[in-house]
């Protein structure tokens, strides 16, 4: 028996850097998207209007800071009906996603936790999607994920919480990789060779073992901000996911000295800015649009 084609209609909550780009991407793929944001103009005036603008069984993607997800879901529940699907595409803690899936199941509302990587550029052109929740719901929504993701860039990670768990570990790995790049370039800057660091980044990013998107973004940063990174903060901000990965590893009794060192550096950098911190800040700006 053939599965009924998925209606290309979606509610979308949150029009920040990621959300507005993801909505534009979806519209290009032929999706009808009803949007709402408390601080920016969407096509719906409030959550009630967003919900009633969609046909049951509704699909609603939530893309807000993790601190606000619970409040958004609570308000949505007043208007949802059995069989509707909520997707949390932000950086929520995986334990919160496990709990939310259980609570929503009692109300016959489906829930998927989707870790999204790739920054605003990925949201606009194709991201990496790590999806947790009921497998049959994932299968039903697979055309949505196909349209949003980079080629071969989405996958089912497992039961509820698995998507956000895999994304959390991704962010911990990202911390370590960025730290290694930043430390290496800080050493080169002090080497006495008067190295052209932009040229080094370019060579590293064309055929070397450490060729990567991060190295590409560093080359862009040197071009955008100058090689001294004068106007870039030497204190590297952190948003919590690296610490979550660290605490989870400690709970599982898995040593993660690289991730721990990277997290500790960012915490210390608030009081001790450095060129290493400037590299980290510049990288965060290039891939995530974060302030420098």
């Amino acid at each position: 028996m053939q599965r009924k084609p998925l209606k290309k209609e979606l509610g979308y909550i949150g029009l920040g850097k990621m959300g507005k780009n993801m909505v534009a991407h979806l519209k290009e793929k032929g999706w009808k998207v009803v949007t709402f944001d408390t601080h920016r103009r969407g096509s719906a005036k409030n959550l009630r209007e967003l919900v009633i603008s969609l046909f049951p069984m509704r699909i609603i993607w939530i893309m807000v800071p993790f601190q606000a997800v619970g409040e958004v879901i609570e308000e949505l529940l007043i208007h949802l009906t059995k069989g509707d699907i909520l997707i949390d595409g932000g950086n929520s803690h995986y334990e919160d996603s496990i709990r939310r899936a259980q609570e929503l199941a009692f109300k016959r509302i489906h829930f998927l936790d989707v870790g999204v990587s790739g920054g605003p550029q990925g949201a606009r052109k194709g991201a990496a999607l790590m999806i947790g929740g009921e497998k049959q719901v994932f299968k039903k929504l697979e055309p949505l994920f196909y349209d949003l993701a980079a080629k071969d860039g989405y996958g089912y990670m497992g039961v509820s919480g698995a998507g956000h768990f895999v994304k959390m570990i991704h962010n911990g790995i990202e911390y370590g990789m960025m730290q290694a790049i930043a430390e290496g370039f800080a050493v080169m800057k002090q080497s006495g060779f008067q190295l052209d660091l932009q040229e080094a980044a370019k060579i590293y990013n064309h055929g070397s073992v450490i060729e990567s998107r991060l190295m590409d973004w560093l080359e862009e940063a040197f071009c955008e901000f100058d090689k001294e990174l004068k106007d870039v903060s030497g204190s590297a901000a952190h948003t919590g996911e690296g610490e979550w990965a660290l605490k989870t590893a400690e709970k599982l009794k898995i040593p993660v000295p690289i991730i721990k060192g990277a997290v500790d550096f960012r915490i210390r950098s608030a009081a001790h800015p450095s060129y290493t911190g400037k590299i980290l800040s510049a990288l965060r700006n290039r891939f995530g649009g974060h302030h420098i």
Side-chain angles (χ1 to χ4, degrees):
M1 183 178 174
Q2 278 193 322
R3 187 185 302 152
K4 184 179 176 181
L6 182 67
K7 184 176 177 63
K8 298 185 83 167
E9 178 182 272
L10 182 80
Y12 201 100
I13 301 166
L15 297 173
K17 290 174 293 190
M18 294 290 289
K20 68 179 181 182
N21 283 334
M22 196 172 279
V23 167
H25 189 183
L26 283 167
K27 287 181 176 179
E28 282 183 356
K29 297 288 186 176
W31 285 77
K32 173 192 170 185
V33 188
V34 182
T35 60
F36 174 74
D37 188 291
T38 54
H39 304 295
R40 303 167 184 87
R41 185 176 179 181
S43 55
K45 295 177 185 175
N46 51 49
L47 291 181
R48 178 182 178 278
E49 186 175 296
L50 180 143
V51 173
I52 65 175
S53 298
L54 303 168
F55 286 100
M57 303 173 173
R58 304 169 185 90
I59 306 166
I60 299 176
W61 189 295
I62 302 169
M63 201 70 165
V64 300
F66 70 87
Q67 301 93 331
V69 172
E71 184 180 341
V72 170
I73 291 176
E74 190 175 340
E75 188 174 345
L76 279 171
L77 280 174
I78 302 168
H79 311 294
L80 297 178
T81 55
K82 183 177 78 171
D84 289 342
I85 302 169
L86 294 183
I87 302 169
D88 179 4
N91 283 323
S92 293
H93 195 284
Y94 75 95
E95 290 178 340
D96 290 332
S97 297
I98 294 170
R99 173 179 51 78
R100 286 176 181 136
Q102 293 169 345
E103 292 171 352
L104 289 166
F106 282 113
K107 302 178 187 295
R108 305 289 182 88
I109 306 296
H110 302 291
F111 179 81
L112 295 179
D113 52 287
V114 179
V116 180
S117 178
Q121 292 178 47
R124 187 67 184 84
K125 299 177 181 177
L129 307 178
M130 302 145 240
I131 302 150
E134 301 168 73
K135 191 164 190 178
Q136 66 269 30
V137 179
F138 161 76
K139 286 290 187 184
K140 177 182 174 67
L141 268 56
E142 201 163 354
L144 168 64
F145 302 131
Y146 178 86
D147 281 349
L148 277 174
K151 188 178 185 301
D152 299 324
Y154 75 91
Y156 178 70
M157 300 295 105
V159 297
S160 295
H164 281 152
F165 184 89
V166 173
K167 177 56 165 48
M168 176 187 70
I169 299 304
H170 162 283
N171 286 9
I173 293 168
E174 174 191 297
Y175 269 53
M177 291 173 69
M178 288 172 64
Q179 188 70 26
I181 291 169
E183 290 176 3
F185 275 79
V187 171
M188 285 196 285
K189 187 175 186 299
Q190 293 299 321
S191 66
F193 283 111
Q194 297 183 320
L195 298 169
D196 183 332
L197 297 185
Q198 184 177 344
E199 187 70 6
K202 185 186 92 172
I203 298 305
Y204 281 172
N205 204 42
H206 287 80
S208 87
V209 172
I210 59 171
E211 180 179 357
S212 64
R213 293 184 78 185
L214 285 170
M215 198 61 67
D216 187 46
W217 281 318
L218 181 56
E219 186 183 351
E220 283 183 13
F222 284 136
C223 183
E224 176 78 14
F225 304 123
D226 79 54
K227 294 161 200 172
E228 296 299 315
L229 303 176
K230 292 189 191 75
D231 297 324
V232 177
S233 173
S235 298
H238 60 104
T239 52
E241 294 92 345
E243 286 186 87
W244 291 349
L246 179 57
K247 288 175 181 175
T248 300
E250 289 172 350
K251 186 161 65 173
L252 296 173
K253 296 182 169 49
I254 304 294
V256 286
I258 305 302
I259 296 173
K260 184 178 188 313
V263 171
D264 289 346
F265 175 88
R266 292 201 190 189
I267 293 169
R268 290 194 309 270
S269 75
H272 303 285
S274 64
Y275 190 75
T276 303
K278 284 177 177 284
I279 296 279
L280 293 172
S281 295
L283 284 171
R284 294 182 79 248
N285 173 266
R286 299 317 296 167
F287 71 71
H290 301 289
H291 293 302
I292 59 169

